Amino acid sequence: MLRLHFDDRDIARVQIAAEPDPLWETVLALHQLVPPGRGVPVFGAWRARARRELDERGLTRAARLISTLAPADARYFPDFLTPDAARDGLAAGLEALRDTSRVRLTAECARAGLPARLPRWTAALAGGDRQPLDELAAAFGEVYRAVIAPDWTGAAATVDCDRGGRTRILCRDGVDGMLGTFRPAIRWEPPVLHVDYPRDRDLRLGGRGLRLIPSHFCWRRPIALADPGLPPVLVYPVQHATDWAPATTRTCRPQALSALLGRTRARILAALDAPATTGELARRLRVSAPSASEHVSALREANLAHTRRDGGSVIHALTPLGTALLHGELAPVRLPP
């Protein structure tokens, strides 16, 4: 059990990440590349495509480089692999990874048991050699572009759906109400957040607050950084539809939709695969709120989207016709007996 101890200052500094973290998602996605027949079913289609992409692009070694430092069954992997700077995107995260200090490299590699149980190159990494660090950053970039980036919109939509729901509760019931939405894996018993965790640990936030990071590829248990001196984060799994599939395995053709609807309207249609408010759509697609509202209205007039009120929020979602247009298939019709 991980116990996160809050004080009044921490309550005021709770954040929910605006989108998935590219380095956390890369590490956790590779955890899903387990032997055939053993993985989480919801990632089955993605797993098959990811293995194929890594093989065809000659990136098996790059993926193994990351997995060597962060194996799926590890109780700990070095914190420097997922720097806080990645909140600003992949490039910022990789730059921070390359700039990891020698002192930190040595300490975290020792904590992970490197190089005692791993390949020879880890000794150079543990000693602060910059070359393996550059190779590691390059591997992250290549693997991300091969198996994470193609489905980033879908992953972001799944995460944004989770974030949107919790944000609405935050607006209605405050931080106390929002922290109570994470059961059963996370229990809020003020002033302590109890997290299902592989080992017993206490972390006092000490006024730094907590950044909650919803993750597409995290599964079962939340994850925190091991070093109590780093900015506190808690990566947690979001809920997936049982029929979730990566966009690249669907019959939807973004170029065809753009030609039919226009680029922005097609992006709005794709983003509404997960229900969202106008503001959430605007932030997700980096358009103005009036523009998002105008496009949603056009989709609604064509019976491709519908709108409902949830408390003080207005939620937009796809109609069955909109879903069929997006994914290129109609839902099965159930005839009466």
Side-chain angles (χ1 to χ4, degrees), residues 24-310:
W24 274 108
E25 292 301 313
T26 302
V27 169
L28 297 174
L30 290 180
H31 286 181
Q32 300 301 329
L33 291 183
V34 294
R38 290 182 50 197
V40 177
V42 75
F43 296 122
W46 172 85
R47 188 180 299 112
R49 187 192 66 78
R51 287 200 186 97
R52 185 171 61 252
E53 285 292 320
L54 292 173
D55 184 58
E56 290 177 355
R57 298 191 189 197
L59 295 177
T60 302
R61 181 183 178 277
R64 190 180 301 121
L65 194 68
I66 300 168
S67 296
T68 296
L69 290 172
D73 59 353
R75 291 170 64 89
Y76 166 79
F77 58 81
D79 291 332
F80 73 81
L81 295 176
T82 53
D84 186 65
R87 68 167 68 198
D88 295 322
L90 179 68
L94 295 182
E95 182 179 356
L97 193 156
R98 290 190 185 95
D99 288 343
T100 305
S101 70
R102 179 168 183 164
V103 171
R104 183 176 175 187
L105 272 174
T106 303
E108 293 188 7
C109 286
R111 183 172 193 163
L114 307 178
R117 58 183 177 84
L118 294 173
R120 183 180 302 173
W121 62 266
T122 61
L125 181 64
D129 190 327
R130 310 311 294 181
Q131 182 177 346
L133 201 57
D134 289 339
E135 292 177 1
L136 180 63
F140 260 105
E142 291 168 344
V143 171
Y144 170 87
R145 285 185 282 272
V147 302
I148 304 297
D151 300 314
W152 187 256
T153 299
T158 304
V159 164
D160 206 47
C161 184
D162 176 278
R163 182 178 184 272
R166 298 190 200 280
T167 301
R168 286 189 284 275
I169 292 172
L170 176 66
C171 292
R172 187 178 66 213
D173 301 327
V175 174
D176 188 71
M178 187 271 292
L179 290 177
T181 64
F182 290 94
R183 288 178 176 269
I186 303 173
R187 300 192 322 277
W188 173 234
E189 298 174 1
V192 181
L193 194 65
H194 300 260
V195 182
D196 184 16
Y197 212 65
R199 64 187 182 88
D200 202 52
R201 179 185 170 201
D202 286 273
L203 176 61
R204 300 190 181 278
L205 301 179
R208 295 173 296 168
L210 178 66
R211 186 166 179 255
L212 296 161
I213 305 178
S215 169
H216 182 74
F217 283 106
C218 184
W219 195 255
R220 293 184 59 193
R221 279 197 184 107
I223 306 173
L225 296 172
D227 186 346
L230 293 172
V233 301
L234 188 66
V235 181
Y236 67 90
V238 298
Q239 185 174 2
H240 296 76
T242 55
D243 60 350
W244 179 84
T248 49
T249 67
R250 299 172 184 166
T251 53
C252 171
R253 293 174 174 81
Q255 295 84 355
L257 282 179
S258 294
L260 178 66
L261 302 174
R263 183 171 179 270
T264 302
R265 196 158 294 169
R267 291 175 65 217
I268 294 282
L269 184 78
L272 284 178
D273 206 17
T277 65
T278 303
E280 288 163 0
L281 284 174
R283 288 191 298 273
R284 188 184 305 170
L285 301 180
R286 292 181 172 84
V287 299
S288 68
S291 176
S293 179
E294 178 185 348
H295 288 296
V296 169
S297 295
L299 294 175
R300 190 168 53 241
E301 287 296 318
N303 196 31
L304 298 175
H306 65 87
T307 299
R308 63 181 173 83
R309 184 166 291 279
D310 180 10

